Amino acid sequence: MDGVTAEWALHVGKAELAVELPRRWAHSQGVADRAAGLGRVLGEDAELLVAAAALHDVGYASRLAVTGFHPLDGARFLRDEHGADERLVRLVANHSFALLEAEERGLREVLEAEFPLLEDSLLVDALVYCDMTTTPDGGPTTAQERVAEILGRYGVDSVVGRFIRRASPEIFNAVERVEAALAGQPR
């Protein structure tokens, strides 16, 4: 991926979210900022991570919300309207253990068939880390605080609440793996 990708992703994300969903856009910008700090761990995939971070919630835009499941709607938009890089689209589709939420919504088979999970575990974990350590307003937080915030916002018995309770051990493990990778890198 070249240097234009992150700039393009931020432009697309802003166009779709900034006016309609400014808080969601603030979160996406914060996630992208967090991703920019992982370059020393990801090397050549650093640009891809920043682009995925900027676009991970684009499917929340009302004009894109066909299924109501933002990872799937966002990935379809990026693939169909922008012809975006396949790895980028698959990261957006599967961000933060989306397969578990897709299962709660009866969409797991659809998501798996259209957008298989990437096999690059560090890249997948890095996007989880960035998303789940960023508040809805774009600031830093811990994964534990973020999970608690999501449960508080959606309720424990909602689709999102059931999903996040199931996913939380995996989220915490992914965050720990990225933190360990960061600790092992020279500054």
Side-chain angles (χ1 to χ4, degrees), residues 22-87:
R23 191 171 190 218
R24 185 69 60 186
W25 176 233
H27 168 71
S28 296
Q29 290 176 92
V31 174
D33 288 345
R34 190 80 135 162
L38 296 181
R40 69 186 199 275
V41 173
L42 289 175
E44 65 185 38
D45 284 333
E47 187 80 16
L48 174 60
L49 177 64
V50 174
L55 294 168
H56 79 285
D57 278 353
V58 73
Y60 277 113
S62 60
R63 79 172 195 91
L64 308 180
V66 175
T67 69
F69 181 45
H70 78 277
L72 181 58
D73 292 335
R76 285 177 171 170
F77 159 72
L78 294 169
R79 178 193 64 200
D80 299 344
E81 288 192 33
H82 291 281
D85 177 88
E86 179 187 359
R87 292 175 72 213

Side-chain angles (χ1 to χ4, degrees), residues 9-26:
L10 287 162
H11 174 77
V12 170
K14 182 178 182 179
E16 297 299 334
L17 296 173
V19 172
E20 179 186 5
L21 300 167
R23 191 171 190 218
R24 185 69 60 186
W25 176 233

